[in-house]
C-alpha cells in the first residue's frame, strides 16, 4: 500500500463520521425543539387516532398562536407530569362547560357543541359542570365512552405551559393529516 491510499481511507472514514455526527445533532435538535414524536397507547382518540398509531406534533405552533378548540395536542398529564397524553381541546380559558344528556354545552348555550370527529355519541351520565381557568384548557378524547380525560382527572385542566405540541399528522401505520 502506498501513502496516498492510506490517506484516502482515513479521509473517507473521517468524512463518514462527520456526516453521522452532523445527522445525529440535527435529529437531536429537531426532536428537542421542533417536533414531538408520540405513540398513542389507548383507544381514547379513536377514530381520529387509533391504538398504537404514531403521531408527530409541532412544538413551535403555540409560540405563534394560542391553542384553540378542536386542536389535538400532546401534553403533560396534569395528575402525573411524567406521562404524555394526546387529547382534543374542548374548552378554552374562561369557557363554561356543561355536559348533560351525553352532549357538551359551551358558555350556557342551548345548542350542543357540534363534533363530527367523535367515534360515537356519549353515553349519558350525571351532569357535569366545569369553568376553565385562565391559561388552561379542558381536553377530551374523541372516543368519549372510552377516554380518561378532563372529566375524570383529579386536576381537570391542562395549563398552557404543559402543552408540548400540536399534533399535525400520523405517520404509522400510513400517513394521515390530523384535524
Amino acid at each position: 500500500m502506498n501513502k496516498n491510499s492510506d490517506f484516502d481511507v482515513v479521509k473517507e472514514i473521517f468524512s463518514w463520521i462527520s456526516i453521522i455526527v452532523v445527522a445525529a445533532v440535527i435529529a437531536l435538535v429537531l426532536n428537542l425543539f421542533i417536533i414531538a414524536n408520540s405513540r398513542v397507547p389507548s383507544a381514547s382518540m379513536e377514530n381520529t387516532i387509533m391504538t398504537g398509531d404514531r403521531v408527530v406534533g409541532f412544538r413551535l405552533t403555540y409560540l405563534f398562536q394560542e391553542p384553540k378548540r378542536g386542536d389535538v395536542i400532546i401534553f403533560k398529564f396534569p395528575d402525573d407530569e411524567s406521562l404524555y397524553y394526546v387529547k382534543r381541546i374542548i374548552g378554552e380559558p374562561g369557557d363554561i362547560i356543561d355536559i348533560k344528556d351525553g352532549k357538551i354545552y359551551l358558555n350556557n348555550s342551548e345548542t350542543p357543541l357540534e363534533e363530527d370527529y367523535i367515534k360515537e355519541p356519549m353515553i349519558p351520565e350525571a351532569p357535569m359542570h366545569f369553568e376553565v381557568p385562565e391559561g388552561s384548557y379542558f381536553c377530551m378524547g374523541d372516543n368519549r365512552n372510552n377516554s380518561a380525560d378532563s372529566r375524570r382527572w383529579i386536576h381537570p385542566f391542562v395549563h398552557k405551559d404543559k402543552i408540548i405540541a400540536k399534533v399535525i399528522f400520523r405517520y404509522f401505520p400510513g400517513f394521515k393529516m390530523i384535524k
Side-chain angles (χ1 to χ4, degrees):
M1 262 191 186
N2 65 32
K3 288 184 180 183
N4 266 351
S5 66
D6 287 343
F7 179 73
D8 290 342
V9 169
V10 170
K11 189 175 178 181
E12 187 68 22
I13 290 171
F14 181 74
S15 172
W16 278 101
I17 290 172
S18 298
I19 290 169
I20 291 169
V21 168
V22 168
V25 168
I26 289 170
L28 182 66
V29 168
L30 281 172
N31 198 40
L32 288 176
F33 302 108
I34 299 174
I35 63 168
N37 179 14
S38 187
R39 185 180 73 80
V40 178
S42 72
S44 70
M45 285 299 294
E46 289 182 359
N47 285 336
T48 305
I49 303 169
M50 304 303 282
T51 305
D53 282 0
R54 298 206 56 102
V55 296
V56 168
F58 188 53
R59 292 180 186 268
L60 302 178
T61 299
Y62 300 126
L63 291 178
F64 306 108
Q65 66 189 44
E66 291 298 312
K68 64 183 185 304
R69 184 174 299 106
D71 288 354
V72 177
I73 59 172
I74 301 169
F75 58 93
K76 292 181 180 179
F77 176 44
D79 294 342
D80 179 356
E81 291 188 9
S82 69
L83 300 174
Y84 286 1
Y85 271 33
V86 176
K87 303 284 182 204
R88 186 179 299 275
I89 294 175
I90 300 301
E92 299 175 340
D95 278 349
I96 296 170
I97 298 169
D98 288 295
I99 303 173
K100 54 188 175 189
D101 301 323
K103 297 190 181 345
I104 298 171
Y105 297 86
L106 293 173
N107 303 318
N108 301 314
S109 172
E110 297 294 320
T111 307
L113 181 64
E114 265 191 54
E115 301 180 287
D116 59 353
Y117 43 78
I118 64 172
K119 182 175 182 178
E120 60 194 7
M122 265 193 295
I123 296 171
E125 53 188 322
M128 295 180 216
H129 177 83
F130 300 92
E131 295 181 19
V132 185
E134 286 305 313
S136 296
Y137 298 85
F138 185 87
C139 298
M140 296 177 76
D142 290 356
N143 185 359
R144 300 289 161 73
N145 298 321
N146 190 17
S147 178
D149 51 39
S150 284
R151 298 170 291 169
R152 314 276 186 244
W153 304 334
I154 295 167
H155 304 97
F157 306 107
V158 176
H159 295 277
K160 182 181 178 188
D161 64 347
K162 303 302 179 187
I163 297 174
I164 304 301
K166 177 180 179 181
V167 174
I168 51 176
F169 63 87
R170 176 192 74 195
Y171 69 90
F172 180 83
F175 183 84
K176 174 185 172 185
M177 293 301 291
I178 303 296
K179 297 177 189 171

